[in-house]
Short mmCIF file of all heavy atoms in Angstrom, two decimals:
data_model
loop_
_atom_site.label_atom_id
_atom_site.label_comp_id
_atom_site.label_asym_id
_atom_site.label_seq_id
_atom_site.Cartn_x
_atom_site.Cartn_y
_atom_site.Cartn_z
N ARG B 1182 -1.78 29.13 0.37
CA ARG B 1182 -1.96 30.49 0.86
C ARG B 1182 -1.53 31.51 -0.18
O ARG B 1182 -2.14 32.54 -0.33
CB ARG B 1182 -1.11 30.73 2.10
CG ARG B 1182 -1.73 30.25 3.37
CD ARG B 1182 -1.01 30.88 4.53
NE ARG B 1182 -1.66 30.50 5.78
CZ ARG B 1182 -1.31 30.98 6.96
NH1 ARG B 1182 -0.35 31.87 7.03
NH2 ARG B 1182 -1.92 30.60 8.04
N ARG B 1214 6.58 24.31 4.02
CA ARG B 1214 5.31 23.88 4.64
C ARG B 1214 4.59 22.87 3.75
O ARG B 1214 3.97 21.92 4.22
CB ARG B 1214 4.41 25.10 4.89
CG ARG B 1214 4.91 25.91 6.07
CD ARG B 1214 4.33 27.29 6.08
NE ARG B 1214 2.89 27.31 6.29
CZ ARG B 1214 2.17 28.43 6.23
NH1 ARG B 1214 2.76 29.59 5.98
NH2 ARG B 1214 0.86 28.39 6.43
N LEU B 1237 4.32 18.73 23.94
CA LEU B 1237 4.37 20.17 23.73
C LEU B 1237 5.01 20.82 24.96
O LEU B 1237 4.46 20.76 26.06
CB LEU B 1237 2.95 20.70 23.52
CG LEU B 1237 2.82 22.15 23.08
CD1 LEU B 1237 3.33 22.34 21.66
CD2 LEU B 1237 1.37 22.62 23.18
N ALA B 1244 6.15 23.71 19.41
CA ALA B 1244 5.04 24.56 18.99
C ALA B 1244 4.92 24.55 17.47
O ALA B 1244 3.82 24.38 16.91
CB ALA B 1244 5.25 25.99 19.49
N LEU B 1245 6.06 24.70 16.79
CA LEU B 1245 6.01 24.69 15.32
C LEU B 1245 5.47 23.36 14.80
O LEU B 1245 4.64 23.33 13.89
CB LEU B 1245 7.41 24.93 14.73
CG LEU B 1245 7.51 24.75 13.21
CD1 LEU B 1245 6.57 25.71 12.47
CD2 LEU B 1245 8.95 24.93 12.73
N ALA B 1247 3.45 21.36 16.24
CA ALA B 1247 1.99 21.33 16.47
C ALA B 1247 1.26 22.08 15.35
O ALA B 1247 0.26 21.59 14.81
CB ALA B 1247 1.66 21.93 17.83
N TYR B 1248 1.75 23.25 14.98
CA TYR B 1248 1.12 24.02 13.91
C TYR B 1248 1.22 23.28 12.57
O TYR B 1248 0.28 23.28 11.77
CB TYR B 1248 1.75 25.42 13.80
CG TYR B 1248 1.19 26.40 14.80
CD1 TYR B 1248 1.68 26.43 16.11
CD2 TYR B 1248 0.18 27.30 14.46
CE1 TYR B 1248 1.17 27.32 17.04
CE2 TYR B 1248 -0.34 28.19 15.39
CZ TYR B 1248 0.16 28.19 16.68
OH TYR B 1248 -0.36 29.07 17.61
N LEU B 1249 2.38 22.66 12.33
CA LEU B 1249 2.55 21.94 11.06
C LEU B 1249 1.62 20.74 10.98
O LEU B 1249 1.04 20.45 9.92
CB LEU B 1249 4.01 21.49 10.91
CG LEU B 1249 5.03 22.60 10.64
CD1 LEU B 1249 6.46 22.09 10.86
CD2 LEU B 1249 4.87 23.13 9.21
N ALA B 1251 -1.23 20.39 12.58
CA ALA B 1251 -2.59 20.91 12.44
C ALA B 1251 -2.85 21.34 11.00
O ALA B 1251 -3.93 21.10 10.45
CB ALA B 1251 -2.80 22.08 13.40
N GLU B 1252 -1.84 21.96 10.38
CA GLU B 1252 -2.00 22.38 8.98
C GLU B 1252 -2.13 21.18 8.06
O GLU B 1252 -2.87 21.20 7.08
CB GLU B 1252 -0.79 23.24 8.56
CG GLU B 1252 -0.88 23.78 7.15
CD GLU B 1252 0.18 24.86 6.89
OE1 GLU B 1252 1.38 24.52 6.74
OE2 GLU B 1252 -0.21 26.03 6.81
N GLY B 1255 -5.31 18.71 10.25
CA GLY B 1255 -6.40 19.31 11.02
C GLY B 1255 -6.13 19.16 12.52
O GLY B 1255 -5.68 18.11 12.99
N ALA B 1256 -6.44 20.22 13.27
CA ALA B 1256 -6.14 20.24 14.71
C ALA B 1256 -6.94 19.19 15.46
O ALA B 1256 -6.52 18.74 16.53
CB ALA B 1256 -6.41 21.63 15.27
N ASP B 1257 -8.09 18.80 14.90
CA ASP B 1257 -8.92 17.84 15.63
C ASP B 1257 -8.28 16.45 15.69
O ASP B 1257 -8.71 15.60 16.45
CB ASP B 1257 -10.30 17.74 14.97
CG ASP B 1257 -10.21 17.37 13.50
OD1 ASP B 1257 -9.31 17.90 12.80
OD2 ASP B 1257 -11.02 16.55 13.04
N LEU B 1259 -5.03 16.08 16.30
CA LEU B 1259 -3.77 16.25 17.05
C LEU B 1259 -4.05 16.28 18.54
O LEU B 1259 -4.99 16.93 18.99
CB LEU B 1259 -3.11 17.57 16.63
CG LEU B 1259 -1.95 18.05 17.51
CD1 LEU B 1259 -0.76 17.10 17.44
CD2 LEU B 1259 -1.52 19.46 17.09
N CYS B 1261 -1.94 17.21 22.02
CA CYS B 1261 -0.69 17.71 22.60
C CYS B 1261 -0.65 17.30 24.06
O CYS B 1261 -1.63 17.49 24.79
CB CYS B 1261 -0.64 19.24 22.51
SG CYS B 1261 -0.44 19.83 20.82
N LEU B 1263 1.22 17.96 27.56
CA LEU B 1263 2.10 18.87 28.30
C LEU B 1263 2.64 18.10 29.49
O LEU B 1263 1.86 17.55 30.27
CB LEU B 1263 1.33 20.10 28.79
CG LEU B 1263 0.96 21.18 27.76
CD1 LEU B 1263 0.10 20.65 26.63
CD2 LEU B 1263 0.26 22.35 28.45
N ARG B 1274 4.74 26.27 30.52
CA ARG B 1274 3.40 25.69 30.52
C ARG B 1274 2.38 26.68 29.97
O ARG B 1274 1.52 26.30 29.18
CB ARG B 1274 3.02 25.28 31.94
CG ARG B 1274 1.61 24.76 31.99
CD ARG B 1274 1.40 23.86 33.15
NE ARG B 1274 -0.02 23.55 33.29
CZ ARG B 1274 -0.51 22.87 34.30
NH1 ARG B 1274 0.28 22.44 35.26
NH2 ARG B 1274 -1.80 22.62 34.36
N SER B 1275 2.49 27.94 30.36
CA SER B 1275 1.49 28.89 29.87
C SER B 1275 1.65 29.11 28.36
O SER B 1275 0.66 29.26 27.64
CB SER B 1275 1.55 30.21 30.65
OG SER B 1275 2.82 30.81 30.51
N ASP B 1276 2.90 29.09 27.88
CA ASP B 1276 3.10 29.21 26.43
C ASP B 1276 2.51 28.00 25.68
O ASP B 1276 1.90 28.14 24.61
CB ASP B 1276 4.59 29.34 26.10
CG ASP B 1276 5.13 30.73 26.42
OD1 ASP B 1276 4.31 31.68 26.51
OD2 ASP B 1276 6.36 30.87 26.59
N ALA B 1277 2.69 26.83 26.25
CA ALA B 1277 2.11 25.63 25.63
C ALA B 1277 0.59 25.74 25.60
O ALA B 1277 -0.06 25.37 24.61
CB ALA B 1277 2.56 24.38 26.38
N GLU B 1278 0.03 26.27 26.67
CA GLU B 1278 -1.44 26.39 26.72
C GLU B 1278 -1.95 27.40 25.69
O GLU B 1278 -3.04 27.25 25.14
CB GLU B 1278 -1.88 26.77 28.14
CG GLU B 1278 -1.79 25.56 29.08
CD GLU B 1278 -1.90 25.91 30.56
OE1 GLU B 1278 -1.81 27.12 30.90
OE2 GLU B 1278 -2.06 24.98 31.36
N ILE B 1279 -1.13 28.42 25.42
CA ILE B 1279 -1.52 29.38 24.38
C ILE B 1279 -1.57 28.69 23.01
O ILE B 1279 -2.49 28.92 22.21
CB ILE B 1279 -0.52 30.57 24.36
CG1 ILE B 1279 -0.70 31.42 25.62
CG2 ILE B 1279 -0.70 31.43 23.11
CD1 ILE B 1279 0.39 32.46 25.83
N VAL B 1280 -0.60 27.81 22.75
CA VAL B 1280 -0.58 27.07 21.48
C VAL B 1280 -1.83 26.20 21.35
O VAL B 1280 -2.52 26.19 20.32
CB VAL B 1280 0.69 26.21 21.37
CG1 VAL B 1280 0.60 25.25 20.19
CG2 VAL B 1280 1.93 27.10 21.24
N VAL B 1281 -2.13 25.48 22.43
CA VAL B 1281 -3.31 24.60 22.42
C VAL B 1281 -4.58 25.40 22.17
O VAL B 1281 -5.44 25.01 21.35
CB VAL B 1281 -3.40 23.82 23.76
CG1 VAL B 1281 -4.75 23.15 23.89
CG2 VAL B 1281 -2.27 22.81 23.86
N ALA B 1282 -4.68 26.54 22.84
CA ALA B 1282 -5.88 27.37 22.68
C ALA B 1282 -5.96 27.93 21.26
O ALA B 1282 -7.03 27.97 20.64
CB ALA B 1282 -5.86 28.50 23.70
N ASP B 1283 -4.82 28.36 20.73
CA ASP B 1283 -4.81 28.96 19.40
C ASP B 1283 -5.16 27.92 18.34
O ASP B 1283 -5.90 28.21 17.39
CB ASP B 1283 -3.43 29.57 19.12
CG ASP B 1283 -3.40 30.36 17.83
OD1 ASP B 1283 -4.42 31.01 17.51
OD2 ASP B 1283 -2.38 30.33 17.12
N LEU B 1284 -4.64 26.71 18.50
CA LEU B 1284 -4.91 25.66 17.50
C LEU B 1284 -6.27 25.01 17.74
O LEU B 1284 -6.84 24.41 16.83
CB LEU B 1284 -3.82 24.58 17.56
CG LEU B 1284 -2.45 24.96 17.01
CD1 LEU B 1284 -1.46 23.83 17.26
CD2 LEU B 1284 -2.54 25.28 15.52
N ASP B 1285 -6.77 25.11 18.97
CA ASP B 1285 -8.00 24.43 19.35
C ASP B 1285 -7.87 22.91 19.15
O ASP B 1285 -8.77 22.26 18.61
CB ASP B 1285 -9.19 24.98 18.55
CG ASP B 1285 -10.52 24.58 19.18
OD1 ASP B 1285 -10.52 24.24 20.37
OD2 ASP B 1285 -11.54 24.57 18.45
N CYS B 1286 -6.74 22.38 19.60
CA CYS B 1286 -6.54 20.93 19.54
C CYS B 1286 -6.75 20.35 20.94
O CYS B 1286 -6.83 21.08 21.91
CB CYS B 1286 -5.14 20.60 19.03
SG CYS B 1286 -3.82 21.20 20.09
N SER B 1287 -6.86 19.05 21.00
CA SER B 1287 -7.04 18.44 22.32
C SER B 1287 -5.69 18.38 23.03
O SER B 1287 -4.63 18.38 22.40
CB SER B 1287 -7.65 17.05 22.19
OG SER B 1287 -6.65 16.11 21.87
N SER B 1288 -5.75 18.35 24.35
CA SER B 1288 -4.50 18.34 25.11
C SER B 1288 -4.74 17.72 26.47
O SER B 1288 -5.89 17.55 26.90
CB SER B 1288 -3.98 19.77 25.29
OG SER B 1288 -4.82 20.48 26.18
N ALA B 1384 8.28 29.14 11.71
CA ALA B 1384 7.37 29.47 12.83
C ALA B 1384 6.71 30.83 12.61
O ALA B 1384 5.51 30.99 12.85
CB ALA B 1384 8.15 29.46 14.15
N VAL B 1385 7.49 31.80 12.12
CA VAL B 1385 6.91 33.11 11.83
C VAL B 1385 5.85 32.98 10.74
O VAL B 1385 4.74 33.50 10.86
CB VAL B 1385 8.01 34.11 11.39
CG1 VAL B 1385 7.38 35.41 10.90
CG2 VAL B 1385 8.97 34.38 12.53
N ALA B 1386 6.20 32.24 9.69
CA ALA B 1386 5.30 32.14 8.54
C ALA B 1386 3.99 31.46 8.91
O ALA B 1386 2.93 31.81 8.39
CB ALA B 1386 6.00 31.39 7.41
N ILE B 1387 4.04 30.48 9.79
CA ILE B 1387 2.84 29.68 10.07
C ILE B 1387 2.03 30.27 11.22
O ILE B 1387 0.89 29.85 11.45
CB ILE B 1387 3.23 28.21 10.35
CG1 ILE B 1387 2.08 27.26 10.03
CG2 ILE B 1387 3.72 28.03 11.78
CD1 ILE B 1387 2.47 25.80 10.04
N GLY B 1388 2.61 31.24 11.93
CA GLY B 1388 1.82 31.93 12.96
C GLY B 1388 2.03 31.45 14.38
O GLY B 1388 1.14 31.61 15.22
N VAL B 1389 3.16 30.87 14.68
CA VAL B 1389 3.48 30.55 16.07
C VAL B 1389 3.53 31.86 16.85
O VAL B 1389 4.09 32.86 16.36
CB VAL B 1389 4.84 29.81 16.17
CG1 VAL B 1389 5.28 29.66 17.62
CG2 VAL B 1389 4.75 28.44 15.48
N PRO B 1390 2.92 31.91 18.04
CA PRO B 1390 2.89 33.17 18.80
C PRO B 1390 4.28 33.78 18.97
O PRO B 1390 5.25 33.07 19.23
CB PRO B 1390 2.30 32.74 20.15
CG PRO B 1390 1.45 31.56 19.83
CD PRO B 1390 2.15 30.85 18.71
N GLU B 1391 4.35 35.10 18.82
CA GLU B 1391 5.64 35.79 18.82
C GLU B 1391 6.41 35.61 20.11
O GLU B 1391 7.65 35.54 20.10
CB GLU B 1391 5.43 37.27 18.53
CG GLU B 1391 5.08 37.53 17.08
CD GLU B 1391 4.99 39.03 16.76
OE1 GLU B 1391 5.39 39.84 17.64
OE2 GLU B 1391 4.53 39.35 15.66
N ALA B 1392 5.69 35.52 21.23
CA ALA B 1392 6.39 35.37 22.52
C ALA B 1392 7.22 34.10 22.51
O ALA B 1392 8.32 34.04 23.08
CB ALA B 1392 5.38 35.35 23.66
N ILE B 1393 6.72 33.06 21.87
CA ILE B 1393 7.44 31.78 21.82
C ILE B 1393 8.65 31.89 20.89
O ILE B 1393 9.70 31.32 21.16
CB ILE B 1393 6.48 30.65 21.36
CG1 ILE B 1393 5.39 30.45 22.42
CG2 ILE B 1393 7.24 29.36 21.09
CD1 ILE B 1393 4.33 29.43 22.04
N ILE B 1394 8.49 32.66 19.83
CA ILE B 1394 9.61 32.82 18.89
C ILE B 1394 10.71 33.68 19.52
O ILE B 1394 11.90 33.42 19.33
CB ILE B 1394 9.11 33.46 17.58
CG1 ILE B 1394 8.10 32.53 16.90
CG2 ILE B 1394 10.27 33.79 16.65
CD1 ILE B 1394 7.35 33.14 15.75
#
Side-chain angles (χ1 to χ4, degrees):
Chain B
R1182 278 196 176 185
R1214 286 163 66 185
L1237 189 69
L1245 172 60
Y1248 279 82
L1249 289 166
E1252 183 168 74
D1257 56 319
L1259 168 65
C1261 290
L1263 285 59
R1274 176 156 171 186
S1275 61
D1276 284 339
E1278 284 167 348
I1279 290 170
V1280 169
V1281 168
D1283 187 36
L1284 288 175
D1285 196 21
C1286 62
S1287 81
S1288 70
V1385 172
I1387 205 169
V1389 171
E1391 286 185 10
I1393 295 176
I1394 297 170

